[in-house]
Amino acid sequence: MLSQGPDRPSGTTDVRASARASPAPSPDRAVRRLSASRPKHIKPEQNGKQIGTQAARLLEKGAPHPLGPTAVQGGINFAVFSSGAEHLSVCFFNEADLKQGRVTHEVQLDPIHNKTGDVWHILMPQLDTSLLYGFRVTGPHQSSHESVPGHRYHQDQVMLDPYAKGVVSRRIWGQHAPELEWGEVLGLAATWPQAAGVLPSQEPAFDWQGTKPLRLPREDLIIYEMHVRGFTQSPTSASQHPGTFAGLVEKLDYLEKLGINAVELLPSQEFNELEYYSAIPGTDNFRYNYWGYSTGAFFAPMTRYSQAAADGKSGQHIINEFKLLVRECHKRGIEVIMDVVFNHTSEGNEKGPVLSMRGLDNRIYYMLAPEGEYYNYTGCGNTLNCNHPIVRRFILDCLHYWVEEMHVDGFRFDLASIMTRAHSEWKQPAAMPEGAEEDAGEEAVMVEGAGVPVGTPLADPALIEMISEDPILRDTLLIAEAWDAAGLYQAGAFPHYCNRWSEWNGNFRDTVRAFIKGSDGTWSSQFASAMSGSPSLYCDTEPKEEDWWGNNGGRGWKGNRSPLASINFITAHDGFTLADLTTFNEKHNAANGEQNRDGESHNLTWNCGVEGPSREGAILRLRARQMRNLATALLVAQGIPMILMGDEYGHSKGGNNNTYCHDSHLNWLDWQRAEAPSNGYARFFRHLIRFRLSRPELKRASFGNTHHMAWHGSVPDEPDWTETSRLVAWTVSTAGSDPNDFGGLYIAFSTFHKPITLELPVWPGRLWQPVIDTGKPAPYDFLIADEVLSEASLSSAMAAGNMWTADSLYPLLPWSAAVLISVPEKRSQ
């Protein structure tokens, strides 16, 4: 997500949503009264029968923890939190009934026998685990009970368990459900089908084949931000299982060959891809929630990313398919990072559907104003009440599950700054003195959350501390998108608890884009800072004057960090691709049907002289150099690089910088281009990744003196930091066993519009040998022998370069970059 740019369609970003009520439950429709003659054992053939509270006592009381469904001796224990529920029942479905919004079996819980505190629970023996489940909750709704603002219980619908480990609804991506009438369970529309949780399986445990989470050193990571469906959905993938976890497994060899050792999966927890479904004006296409930043079930892998779901297999097979992906990634030395959205849910604002948390305990799960309106720090209608103790517990339980059960290696937290805001809280009023007039209509009052006004950014947020210090999460990678949609910007001072967190570095993105395209200003010095790990952001303890957070609540978190705090990126899923940065000056989002008003307008791009595609040779050569310059900057900078899927071969979205709604070639990887042997840029990118992995000089774990950086201009040791400077050059050296024998790299970026000649620093007993030159045509842009560049051709190119480097000189074309390695003089003879 770009700074201040939400991962969704354009819409309101008001902090408090308008106070319009959801459609109210019918006041004369009581909760279903259930038969007391229900037998103990529930079988699917007893369709439609219900078991009442008296018969429920013949079952087992159950335990209030752990929450969710748990296989225990004697059956399955169900436990769900709902503090304001008056009645609660467990509903069971076979899949045929689920599709029609019918409950197959319903078991009403006894509030005396089956409730401990605010947790309802029951143990069900001999339960058919092919059934699916949910909860029906009866309680007040603010539309008909003005004395209970914030409550939104809806007895006509069945809630999805927030702790459901798997979900079954539609099995095929984009498939519509039957149109059902309002009030029939969850039949809101064909695009909002009934969804139900999966019961714990009796099948054998998944075979991890001895694999474990990798826990790679952060300085070694090459992160690849990718979309599970988009990776293999294109017909060019020739995948047997396109668009699925299984399809991704088929293509893991590609990532391994590329040099990727960490994949960051765009949201892969259960979401509704038809949430935005509507015709795009002027086209035959429809909008989808393609990126998935609208979670519906946080413990469950996305059902329609599973080939097992499409094949009609059980929920456990869907879960196991995700496990298969993780296992096979680990076999190839690739970590799996989940992009998680603990800032809002798919229930939206007061106009949105009642699906899960809203119907279980709206006042606990969401940040609400005193009259029950939704605070909207996300731009998506609601805000998860992250620092409330119950929600903190939920988030920790969820992270534990993905680490312990699914073996993931880390998490990227979308709009993570929301997790630092004070929660909202409702409290029962104090007991009235005897004889005092009692206000019978006031059930509860809104109080300040965490001792401060609701929404206040907390200097020491409980949730972030719990995640940071949690022993189960101790070795996981934690990445914060350190801002939100309501103006809170914490980059450089996100509460990191002894450097546990890394951050998306939006400053790196903007600086590299501006310098590489040759913008006027102090970009040369800022570019040098970005290349050295952004010390002004992560090392310096003094915040800038305009840094509101760093000068207030974030003051104690500023500085004393390492380059590994920075997740360096130039492109991400939202925004221009790397190729489009060199092809378009303006966004071209007409295909979204929003009259080009959506998406970020400030993109720091340069079309190299012509807007859009061109056949002009000079334009194409300049764009090729600029693409290589951007890629080189990303992969020689200190910090942790993140690559956008498709950038490795030059994927274009036609200038669309907000493709949130397109399930099409705009977002799909083009395998013909990715694997084309004639794609010189793809070869360059692949070798660039391998080069970074092989060079310790590029992987500093601190800002100390272990590695030495020296800055140069057109002559050694004379950098130019003026506003007219278009050259940044530096050396990174490492000491060998002999104190007089230094290895290292010379790196230079020139955005001058004319060729220049560089004078190289002289290191005794060593010569400079060119490896990368973005001004050269492929394959001479990367000098390494492979199936394209023969040993003989490589030797000839080296000899030509030595004509310059022997005299400590090196020529650069306009808008070009070069990387040279220091080698002992005897090796070059």
Side-chain angles (χ1 to χ4, degrees), residues 12 42 49 72 81 119 166 194 203 211 264 343 355 358 390 424 599 610-611 732 750 753 771 786 799:
T12 178
I42 296 178
K49 294 186 178 180
V72 297
F81 170 85
V119 179
Q194 166 68 18
E203 298 175 10
T211 60
E264 184 177 300
N343 56 73
L355 304 171
R358 175 171 293 160
I390 296 298
S424 62
V610 175
E611 185 74 359
V732 189
S750 171
H753 65 284
V771 177
D786 60 8

Side-chain angles (χ1 to χ4, degrees), residues 596-628:
N596 208 40
R597 293 175 299 193
D598 62 308
E600 178 63 51
S601 296
H602 180 64
N603 294 286
L604 295 168
T605 67
W606 181 37
N607 63 19
C608 298
V610 175
E611 185 74 359
S614 173
R615 294 183 178 180
E616 187 175 340
I619 297 295
L620 295 177
R621 288 192 297 273
L622 178 54
R623 287 176 177 174
R625 292 202 298 274
Q626 288 292 73
M627 287 175 63
R628 285 163 171 79

Side-chain angles (χ1 to χ4, degrees), residues 1 7 224-230 245 248 263-271 289-293 295 302 305 322 325 336-341 412 414 504 572-574 642-645 653 659-660 667:
M1 196 183 290
D7 282 350
Y224 187 80
E225 190 200 37
M226 66 179 303
H227 190 280
V228 170
R229 179 172 172 83
F245 300 125
L248 203 165
V263 291
E264 184 177 300
L265 306 179
L266 264 68
S268 298
Q269 296 158 308
E270 181 69 19
F271 67 91
N289 175 10
Y290 179 77
W291 287 337
Y293 286 91
T295 310
M302 172 60 170
Y305 283 173
F322 184 90
L325 169 61
V336 178
I337 302 166
M338 297 283 291
D339 193 341
V340 291
V341 189
R412 179 265 187 186
D414 181 64
W504 267 30
H573 61 277
D574 56 346
M642 186 188 79
I643 299 164
L644 171 64
M645 181 183 85
K653 297 182 180 181
T659 57
Y660 74 93
N667 284 316

Side-chain angles (χ1 to χ4, degrees), residues 505 507-536 544 566 568-570 626 628-638 703 709 711-712 719-722 725-730 747-751 774 812 815-819:
N505 188 346
N507 184 69
F508 179 95
R509 173 202 61 213
D510 296 344
T511 297
V512 171
R513 290 186 183 188
F515 177 77
I516 294 297
K517 79 185 188 76
S519 299
D520 292 329
T522 59
W523 293 110
S524 60
S525 59
Q526 294 183 55
F527 182 77
S529 177
M531 293 299 100
S532 54
S534 301
S536 61
K544 296 180 180 178
S566 178
N568 298 333
F569 68 103
I570 299 173
Q626 288 292 73
R628 285 163 171 79
N629 291 340
L630 290 164
T632 302
L634 176 63
L635 287 160
V636 301
Q638 304 296 337
F703 287 111
M709 298 184 74
W711 300 98
H712 312 292
D720 181 2
W721 305 128
T722 65
S725 174
R726 297 290 186 273
L727 173 68
V728 175
W730 70 100
I747 304 171
F749 285 82
S750 171
T751 60
T774 64
L812 269 184
W815 287 287
S816 295
V819 179

Side-chain angles (χ1 to χ4, degrees), residues 78 90-99 103-105 127-134 166-169 171 194-199 314-315:
F78 294 87
V90 187
C91 298
F92 296 95
F93 305 84
N94 60 41
E95 196 165 346
D97 283 344
L98 177 74
K99 291 177 180 178
V103 175
T104 308
H105 312 283
L127 191 62
D128 183 343
T129 57
S130 69
L131 292 171
L132 306 167
Y133 80 100
V167 172
V168 171
S169 55
R171 288 181 172 270
Q194 166 68 18
V198 171
L199 294 178
S314 70

Side-chain angles (χ1 to χ4, degrees), residues 97-118:
D97 283 344
L98 177 74
K99 291 177 180 178
Q100 295 300 320
R102 295 191 299 261
V103 175
T104 308
H105 312 283
E106 188 162 353
V107 180
Q108 184 171 319
L109 275 60
D110 182 350
I112 303 299
H113 184 70
N114 299 111
K115 187 169 182 280
T116 302
D118 291 332

